[in-house]
Amino acid sequence: MALPNYMTNVSLDNTLDLIRQIAESTVRDEAVVVDQEAKWPEQSMRTLQREGVAGFVVPKESGGLEHGLMGLAKACETIGEESASAGLCFGMHCVGTAVIAAKATDYQKKHFLEPIAAGEHITTLALSEPGTGAHFYFPQTQLLSLSEDEYVLRGKKTFVTNGGKADSYVVSTMGVDPDAMQHEFSCMVVEADRQGLIWGEKWDGIGMRGNSSRSLTLDNVKVPSKNLLGEQGDQLWYVFQVVAPYFLTAMSGTYLGVAQAAFNEVREHLQNRTYRHDGTSLSQNQLLQHRLGSIWAKIERTRQLIYHATRQYDSGDPAAVLTIISSKAEVAHCVVDVVNECMTLAGGIAYRENSKLEMLLRDARAAHVMAPTTDILYTWLGRTLLEQPILDS
């Protein structure tokens, strides 16, 4: 089943077939424990590493598979269909990888990208902060220059997916120059074993319970200057050229998978539920047939929007920014509406504690509040369409 590490010519279809095999075995088997115990999906993540797909977006020159945004959407959808937490954990690893790879130096390729491709290193993002909320693109974390070769970081991050589990963290910071403009912030890779990383309590959300989405205090963390991504003040470029497309796509794919899982669950229920008093099946009820058809259509049109957006991005179409932004906003409405409707169609049996649909409903609700929130995304869309600056002044 495994793809050898450093296989640079594996097709996307073959990689996705392998991911589906992993999703339908390891990820599925671990999903209930991940949810009930709020446990990071370690078996799933380690299997994805071991089977050679951790380098999903790593460039081929660094030993990776170099699959694009379309591939990421489908991979997260496939994993997310079995476990939303596993889908997002894998997705955030890929987002962090893409940020490192965007302008990687030779040192960064050898120290980060090659180990990621070899299945020896997990990375992730650390952007959100308690003081800026959903406006993750305005970090307050300080980056101070100690010498020509070393920086020190001071600040606090929140909702770090894979928190305390990854081998490195892509951290956004304010600009080094105290007179730097607000948008002139930087991006650093911080290894997990550096002194001064202090993790907050275990994540205990109502859904997405395996994300290990924890707070992180950076207490005078010393980092070599060679860990700086791009140039000082370069992070706004990263936000809209790399972070936003990959981040939004990873979430969109994952939540599309959640919607599909709910659909699969209720379709099976309608096919198998038979009334004892007259022998009729729910699948024969015209109203239920109609409602199931409308659910399928909602999922499918959202899926095609996501696929269209990622195809645009992979082809270099500048219009992709609009469709990628709208994809995450639309999938949030889709997944919440679909899981709610599926729970209604399944009836009282779906309302019991720890039912599959109950778990999916809790996972789905996070789609609207995960930054960038749905409201922020629609505002970005409106500003872009009106040719206004996309961010606050």
Side-chain angles (χ1 to χ4, degrees), residues 128-191:
S128 298
E129 297 187 359
T132 55
H135 304 278
F136 66 91
Y137 38 84
F138 288 140
Q140 304 302 299
T141 296
Q142 293 180 304
L143 178 67
L144 306 173
S145 180
L146 291 181
S147 68
E148 185 177 325
D149 299 321
E150 194 172 40
Y151 294 112
V152 63
L153 282 80
R154 299 172 184 162
K156 187 170 183 177
K157 296 294 182 179
T158 56
F159 301 115
V160 180
T161 300
N162 297 318
K165 305 297 183 181
D167 300 292
S168 67
Y169 300 88
V170 176
V171 178
S172 58
T173 74
M174 297 173 65
V176 176
D177 186 343
D179 297 323
M181 299 292 288
Q182 191 175 32
H183 67 273
E184 293 177 349
F185 48 102
S186 299
C187 209
M188 297 287 296
V189 187
V190 181
E191 294 93 337

Side-chain angles (χ1 to χ4, degrees), residues 12-65:
L12 176 59
D13 286 344
N14 287 341
T15 307
L16 292 173
D17 284 344
L18 175 58
I19 289 174
R20 182 165 294 282
Q21 291 178 49
I22 297 169
E24 293 179 351
S25 54
T26 306
V27 178
R28 179 182 294 174
D29 292 344
E30 191 181 27
V32 173
V33 173
V34 165
D35 178 69
Q36 292 183 353
E37 299 182 10
K39 179 182 176 183
W40 186 68
E42 182 157 6
Q43 293 181 40
S44 301
M45 293 294 288
R46 299 307 180 200
T47 301
L48 289 163
Q49 285 185 283
R50 186 175 63 251
E51 300 296 340
V53 294
F56 195 85
V57 299
V58 173
K60 290 182 179 179
E61 66 175 10
S62 294
L65 297 168

Side-chain angles (χ1 to χ4, degrees), residues 6 54-65 93-121 123 168 189 229:
Y6 292 90
F56 195 85
V57 299
V58 173
K60 290 182 179 179
E61 66 175 10
S62 294
L65 297 168
H93 161 73
C94 290
V95 179
T97 300
V99 177
I100 296 171
K103 295 185 178 182
T105 63
D106 289 341
Y107 167 79
Q108 292 163 0
K109 292 173 184 177
K110 184 174 181 61
H111 194 64
F112 299 112
L113 296 181
E114 290 180 11
I116 288 171
E120 300 167 354
H121 188 108
T123 192
S168 67
V189 187
L229 297 176

